[in-house]
């Protein structure tokens, strides 16, 4: 991976920008390719009203352009907190999942987005506690795990449309969830802890990390798919990325502190176990290399890109390992790495 091209003043052929009619937050990159150089990207709006939007745009790597398709645009109840395409799409079309008031599945074809199902775990009401995030199990694609403000994580069998199991995962709201292997997942919460769960042992969980200051919420969790020993998390209103080794719980192996504002998003590199990208309120996207032992002054990023305003979202997808996607204001931007 050549990170030398990602500098504060990068050339115009190293980034591509799409401007949306509305503020953006969630986004997802498809692993399916309808054409060798075309890639679908879903973007979700952030409007403080009931009616929001999900649009699917197409990135052409040959022409370095991002184009919308009016047929691939839908209204979505509330801002989607997360979007994901199915990990292993089939030839008949692909599935997009979104979270917000419920977990929703959508069928995406070349010229339409159609609802498949709305998954509600509440037995007594047509309403359920809002979902903060979810993750799609790459090894068992029938499984999606959701996290909720009601302290639970729910594992869905989306093929049957039923709940496989539910965990009371934390003492407070659960902010994020990430799968490790087929039968294990981790979550972070407003109670300040990172916990790992095994579907074979529903009575116990392992606390990997707790915030140094009691009840400092943890907001996001990224599990390193290239080396499952490592995770990363971020704290609310903090410029710090905490790197954890699950073999040595409680003590971080590194704390990355070069952002000049709160960190909002993190993503491990999809093809290297030693690189992670972070982005935040300082408008910067930083790439870090975690090969060396930190010196007395900590670890410096190996590259920095400054966006136009606070970066809310970040994706570094195995479908496009040479591009990092960021969302800020009403813009989706792809950065060449």
């Amino acid at each position: 991976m050549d990170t030398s091209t990602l500098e504060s003043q990068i050339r115009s052929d190293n980034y591509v920008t799409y401007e949306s009619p509305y503020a953006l937050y969630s986004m997802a990159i498809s692993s399916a390719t309808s054409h060798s150089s075309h890639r679908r990207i879903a973007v979700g709006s952030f409007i403080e009203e009931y009616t929001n939007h999900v649009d699917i745009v197409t990135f052409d790597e040959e022409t370095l352009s991002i184009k919308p398709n009016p047929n691939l645009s839908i209204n979505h109840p509330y801002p989607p907190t997360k979007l994901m395409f199915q990990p292993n799409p089939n030839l008949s079309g692909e599935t997009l999942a979104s979270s917000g008031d419920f977990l929703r599945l959508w069928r995406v074809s070349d010229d339409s987005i159609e609802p498949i199902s709305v998954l509600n775990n509440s037995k007594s009401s047509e309403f359920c506690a809002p979902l903060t995030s979810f993750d799609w199990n790459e090894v068992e694609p029938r499984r999606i795990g959701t996290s909720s403000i009601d302290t639970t994580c729910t594992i869905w069998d989306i093929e049957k449309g039923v709940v496989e199991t539910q965990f009371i995962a934390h003492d407070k709201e659960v902010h994020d969830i990430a799968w490790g292997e087929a039968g294990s997942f981790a979550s972070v919460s407003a109670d300040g802890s990172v916990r790992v769960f095994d579907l074979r042992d529903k009575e116990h969980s392992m606390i990997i990390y707790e915030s140094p200051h009691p009840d400092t919420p943890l907001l996001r969790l990224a599990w390193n798919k290239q080396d499952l020993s490592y995770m990363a998390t971020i704290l609310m209103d903090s410029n710090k990325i905490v790197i954890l080794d699950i073999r040595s719980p409680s003590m971080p192996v590194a704390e990355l502190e070069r952002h000049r504002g709160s960190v909002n998003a993190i993503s491990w590199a999809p093809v290297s176990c030693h690189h992670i990208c972070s982005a935040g309120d300082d408008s910067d996207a930083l790439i870090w290399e975690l090969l060396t032992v930190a010196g007395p002054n900590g670890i410096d990023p190996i590259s920095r890109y400054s966006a136009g305003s606070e970066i809310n979202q970040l994706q570094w997808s195995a479908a496009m390992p040479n591009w990092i996607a960021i969302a800020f204001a009403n813009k989706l931007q792809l950065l060449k790495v």
Side-chain angles (χ1 to χ4, degrees):
M1 180 180 64
D2 179 11
T3 54
S4 63
T5 58
L6 192 64
E7 300 294 344
S8 295
Q9 302 297 323
I10 60 177
R11 302 192 313 273
S12 60
D13 59 347
N14 281 332
Y15 67 89
V16 186
T17 305
Y18 166 74
E19 289 198 34
S20 167
Y22 20 74
L24 297 178
Y25 175 68
S26 54
M27 60 181 173
I29 299 171
S30 168
S31 57
T33 49
S34 55
H35 181 275
S36 59
S37 64
H38 292 183
R39 183 75 59 181
R40 285 178 180 152
I41 302 174
V43 291
S45 67
F46 187 84
I47 305 169
E48 293 185 19
E49 298 174 0
Y50 177 78
T51 302
N52 274 257
H53 310 275
V54 174
D55 299 328
I56 294 181
V57 299
T58 301
F59 170 52
D60 186 332
E61 195 164 0
E62 289 180 356
T63 62
L64 294 180
S65 62
I66 301 173
K67 296 179 180 177
N69 182 339
N71 294 323
L72 298 181
S73 180
I74 54 170
N75 288 341
H76 190 280
Y78 304 104
T81 54
K82 188 169 183 178
L83 297 169
M84 280 189 81
F85 285 96
Q86 68 190 99
N88 304 300
N90 54 46
L91 297 176
S92 62
E94 59 181 330
T95 304
L96 176 72
S98 65
S99 55
D101 53 349
F102 302 110
L103 177 65
R104 299 171 186 268
L105 300 178
W106 312 83
R107 171 66 63 191
V108 180
S109 64
D110 288 339
D111 54 10
S112 69
I113 306 175
E114 302 293 339
I116 299 174
S117 56
V118 178
L119 302 175
N120 177 9
N121 191 32
S122 175
K123 304 290 190 296
S124 59
S125 170
E126 60 184 286
F127 305 104
C128 75
L131 302 178
T132 54
S133 188
F134 70 94
D135 196 24
W136 211 316
N137 193 313
E138 293 182 6
V139 184
E140 288 274 6
R142 64 183 176 84
R143 280 183 181 147
I144 289 180
T146 63
S147 56
S148 172
I149 66 169
D150 68 0
T151 76
T152 66
C153 290
T154 303
I155 310 303
W156 287 91
D157 182 329
I158 61 168
E159 291 180 358
K160 298 177 180 177
V162 299
V163 172
E164 185 175 333
T165 187
Q166 186 176 54
F167 295 79
I168 299 176
H170 291 267
D171 300 326
K172 293 185 177 180
E173 305 99 301
V174 189
H175 286 149
D176 204 5
I177 181 171
W179 289 102
E181 298 169 316
S184 62
F185 69 90
S187 57
V188 293
S189 164
D191 65 14
S193 67
V194 179
R195 303 187 187 198
V196 175
F197 298 84
D198 190 322
L199 297 185
R200 296 166 299 184
D201 181 4
K202 297 171 184 170
E203 301 301 316
H204 303 94
S205 66
M206 181 167 61
I207 297 178
I208 300 298
Y209 174 76
E210 292 183 288
S211 301
H213 304 292
D215 288 337
T216 300
L218 302 178
L219 298 183
R220 290 286 169 259
L221 178 69
W223 204 327
N224 188 338
K225 296 297 172 65
Q226 300 301 311
D227 186 342
L228 292 172
S229 297
Y230 294 96
M231 296 178 179
T233 187
I234 55 177
L235 296 79
M236 179 178 282
D237 299 327
S238 169
N239 74 329
K240 185 185 300 184
I241 303 108
V242 179
I243 308 297
L244 306 169
D245 184 336
I246 64 174
R247 298 164 299 186
S248 306
S250 73
M251 282 298 294
V253 293
E255 293 183 334
L256 312 177
E257 300 182 81
R258 293 298 184 265
H259 277 283
R260 297 162 295 178
S262 299
V263 181
N264 296 325
I266 46 176
S267 182
W268 290 96
V271 293
S272 163
C273 62
H274 300 300
H275 294 88
I276 189 169
C277 187
S278 59
D281 281 352
D282 57 2
S283 306
D284 285 348
L286 307 180
I287 292 181
W288 311 78
E289 187 172 40
L290 304 175
L291 283 173
T292 56
V293 177
N297 298 318
I299 298 173
D300 288 322
I302 59 173
S303 57
R304 178 190 304 269
Y305 171 73
S306 293
S309 62
E310 297 93 339
I311 302 173
N312 299 314
Q313 187 60 267
L314 160 71
Q315 297 279 328
W316 199 349
S317 168
M320 298 196 313
N322 296 325
W323 296 88
I324 292 174
I326 59 174
F328 58 96
N330 68 329
K331 293 181 176 65
L332 159 70
Q333 202 161 65
L334 299 178
L335 312 175
K336 186 75 178 286
V337 295

